[in-house]
Amino acid sequence: MSQTNEKAVLTIDGKQIELPVLTGTEGHKAIDISKLFDEHGITTFDPSLGSTAACRSTITYIDGDKGVLRYRGIPIEHFDRPKPNFIEVAWLLIFGSLPTFAELRNFRNMLTDNELIHEGLRRQFGDLPPKSPPMAILSAMLSQLACYHEKFLPLGDEELFGEAAARLISKVRTIAAYSYRRSKGLPFVYPDPALRYCANFLHLMFSIPYQQYIVSEEIEDAMNLVLILHADHEQNCSTSTVRVVGSAKANLFASCAAGVSALWGPLHGGANVEVIKMLESIQSGGLKPEDCIKAAKDKDNPFKLFGFGHRVYKNYDPRAKILRAVADRVFARLKTNDPLLDIARKLEELALKDSYFIDRKLYPNVDFYSGILLRAMGIPTNMFTVIFAMGRLPGWIAQWKEQHDNPNQKIIRPRQLYLGNKRTDYVPIEER
Ligand code: CMC
């Protein structure tokens, strides 16, 4: 980041205030207002932070107008073919460069060594109601890792951080799969150390005692890609949540558990579930694609075209572009079809020629096609957002670390524009 010679001049109360203008390596300019309050007693107003750069970051770059997404400078399309392993991408995001063979091997070994969860934690699944939402379980269980791994709660030790990150990435897969098995009343199977990350996850989901689930190469590849495409997305809602919680010096487990809660929302990671619900209601005849488009445009109707629109992308989300093509590839290779894919294509076609969507630059986002692909792998709808969380975890960890490594980071504590009562007296209850 560098400061330019340019200054932004703010005129307020007849006074001129010069503000530094910053540039990054790419992307938008930023007016530095960080001293505005301390020096001039003025705040800025940006409730959804749409015009605010809340941090400096070197992890992920997005150009929303051009539909560009890069991890540590590498375009997202490079991760489609030839495919790296999700674990390699996790390392890249967290530690800043592609791992060497030795680094990758060590990290993988750490994941394998930590794939079991404490039996005490495992037993807790049994006490949960079978219909518990898997995202509620995931958030609670990630938070509870702090109860079983207290060693990792103090911050500041680089080696311990690496171990904590490996533990989280490994255990999240076991916890995620167990949340599904709990909902099905199936016995828990243990992770298989001989399997790679995605194959092991699918084994944990679908193997039953004495009958190992054999994962096909297509499905393993598709799962690997889904996780990679979700691995980071700069300062989105859940990542910002992780940063806010982490800025209070909360430990990594607590910060990531908070990220899961944010991701659960239907405007964020929960949108992939809403997309499938919408496509299914069209399939069952309850709704026509044209009705969906009409309802989404109606300002008196809270309905949204889920899987469409994005705070940053004002172009086709590059992840959706890849997922759309991969869905075609996977269905062709598996020699199957999903009528929901045809419905999704029809909806996309209608939306992309409708002036409402054109004028607002609303395009398919990552959630529009990811559910269809996950369905092809046999993943039930209530697990979609959990898989998004598994994918996003390395991003959360990377962003937590970047923030934590910044010696100048202060607790995140915005201000407000107060609209409440002016000073008023307390009235005792008997006088009201
Ligand atoms: N359907 C209908 N109208 C929409 C949609 C949509 N999906 N998305 C945005 N709009 C309208 C919005 O009502 C507004 O209209 P107007 O200018 O007339 O008031 C205009 O487009 C601009 O949208 P916005 O509300 O300013 O956009 P935002 O940046 O606040 O919200 C969003 C972004 C993703 C929350 C929103 O597009 C949305 O709700 N989409 C559906 C949910 C969804 O698919 N979420 C997943 C996002 S991608 C994965 C992730 O990050 O989790």
Side-chain angles (χ1 to χ4, degrees):
M1 183 195 71
S2 57
Q3 193 168 318
T4 59
N5 292 329
E6 216 176 338
K7 297 271 179 225
V9 181
L10 177 69
T11 308
I12 187 162
D13 296 336
K15 213 169 52 177
Q16 287 208 329
I17 301 170
E18 279 198 352
L19 297 164
V21 176
L22 312 177
T23 52
T25 35
E26 290 188 82
H28 306 281
K29 287 179 184 173
I31 301 171
D32 182 353
I33 54 154
S34 56
K35 299 210 166 58
L36 193 59
F37 185 82
D38 284 350
E39 292 178 1
H40 303 282
I42 299 163
T43 59
T44 55
F45 183 65
D46 184 19
S48 57
L49 304 182
S51 298
T52 297
C55 64
R56 300 177 170 96
S57 185
T58 59
I59 302 170
T60 291
Y61 174 69
I62 300 176
D63 182 332
D65 294 325
K66 295 195 183 127
V68 166
L69 168 62
R70 299 185 202 130
Y71 294 163
R72 300 282 186 188
I74 303 176
I76 195 73
E77 293 76 15
H78 287 205
F79 299 115
D80 184 11
R81 283 171 185 191
K83 278 187 195 57
N85 191 282
F86 169 61
I87 298 310
E88 209 178 322
V89 175
W91 175 281
L92 167 74
L93 288 168
I94 297 170
F95 297 106
S97 56
L98 288 166
T100 61
F101 268 123
E103 285 167 337
L104 190 57
R105 191 182 51 239
N106 287 347
F107 197 54
R108 277 209 174 114
N109 288 345
M110 274 208 266
L111 295 186
T112 306
D113 291 345
N114 287 296
E115 61 192 9
L116 290 174
I117 55 170
H118 192 285
E119 286 291 297
L121 191 60
R122 191 179 66 81
R123 276 195 296 274
Q124 288 188 37
F125 282 87
D127 289 336
L128 293 166
K131 293 241 171 325
S132 306
M135 285 298 273
I137 302 181
L138 188 65
S139 173
M141 295 288 174
L142 287 193
S143 201
Q144 285 195 57
L145 286 177
C147 309
Y148 294 92
H149 306 285
E150 275 184 65
K151 174 179 153 192
F152 300 107
L153 303 190
L155 315 175
D157 182 318
E158 186 74 11
E159 209 169 303
L160 280 183
F161 165 79
E163 270 187 61
R167 250 160 232 260
L168 256 177
I169 294 172
S170 189
K171 289 182 196 303
V172 74
R173 141 189 76 171
T174 314
I175 293 170
Y178 284 4
S179 68
Y180 163 71
R181 298 188 80 98
R182 174 68 193 129
S183 70
K184 286 279 170 197
L186 291 168
F188 300 127
V189 295
Y190 287 102
D192 180 346
L195 295 176
R196 283 186 298 238
Y197 192 84
C198 291
N200 207 353
F201 170 63
L202 292 163
H203 149 73
L204 285 164
M205 288 277 292
F206 299 127
S207 286
I208 49 173
Y210 310 111
Q211 201 179 324
Q212 176 93 3
Y213 170 83
I214 308 292
V215 59
S216 70
E217 203 185 317
E218 288 80 16
I219 300 290
E220 189 183 351
D221 269 9
M223 178 58 80
N224 186 53
L225 185 67
V226 166
L227 295 186
I228 290 174
L229 293 181
H230 287 89
D232 194 49
H233 212 238
E234 48 117 308
Q235 307 312 316
N236 58 87
C237 177
S238 55
T239 301
S240 299
T241 303
V242 170
R243 279 189 178 257
V244 169
V245 176
S247 79
K249 303 282 179 223
N251 65 73
L252 187 60
F253 302 135
S255 304
C256 290
V260 172
S261 298
L263 189 72
W264 193 2
L267 295 189
H268 191 11
N272 52 17
V273 173
E274 301 302 322
V275 170
I276 294 296
K277 281 192 205 157
M278 178 177 77
L279 299 178
E280 280 174 344
S281 62
I282 295 176
Q283 186 193 22
S284 66
L287 203 62
K288 289 199 197 90
E290 291 76 7
D291 297 336
C292 266
I293 300 290
K294 206 167 149 201
K297 296 189 313 185
D298 180 357
K299 291 293 173 199
D300 295 325
N301 190 335
F303 178 84
K304 294 236 176 211
L305 189 59
F306 282 95
F308 258 74
H310 200 275
R311 168 60 56 84
V312 180
Y313 292 119
K314 301 301 164 199
N315 201 327
Y316 214 110
D317 179 336
R319 302 165 301 171
K321 209 180 269 179
I322 296 174
L323 285 170
R324 189 185 200 270
V326 172
D328 285 340
R329 245 158 49 202
V330 168
F331 284 117
R333 280 205 228 145
L334 296 179
K335 298 191 175 45
T336 54
N337 197 6
D338 184 344
L340 295 196
L341 182 58
D342 298 329
I343 297 171
R345 285 209 199 94
K346 175 75 187 167
L347 265 182
E348 179 185 335
E349 187 195 314
L350 289 173
L352 294 186
K353 61 182 188 206
D354 190 296
S355 60
Y356 175 95
F357 293 87
I358 296 170
D359 294 349
R360 289 168 179 77
K361 299 186 177 160
L362 303 173
Y363 291 87
N365 60 50
V366 68
D367 292 315
F368 199 62
Y369 287 106
S370 62
I372 293 173
L373 197 55
L374 291 170
R375 267 163 64 97
M377 299 178 214
I379 305 288
T381 311
N382 68 349
M383 287 295 290
F384 291 178
T385 317
V386 171
I387 287 166
F388 191 152
M390 280 172 61
R392 184 55 53 88
L393 191 62
W396 291 335
I397 296 172
Q399 303 265 355
W400 185 95
K401 176 177 167 30
E402 182 176 69
Q403 177 176 269
H404 186 259
D405 288 348
N406 175 4
N408 300 320
Q409 178 68 44
K410 289 185 174 177
I411 189 165
I412 298 175
R413 202 305 187 186
R415 295 188 183 264
Q416 63 173 8
L417 190 59
Y418 177 68
L419 299 176
N421 289 336
K422 290 204 169 170
R423 188 195 174 285
T424 181
D425 288 333
Y426 170 77
V427 180
I429 196 160
E430 55 284 354
E431 292 173 28
R432 281 172 223 160

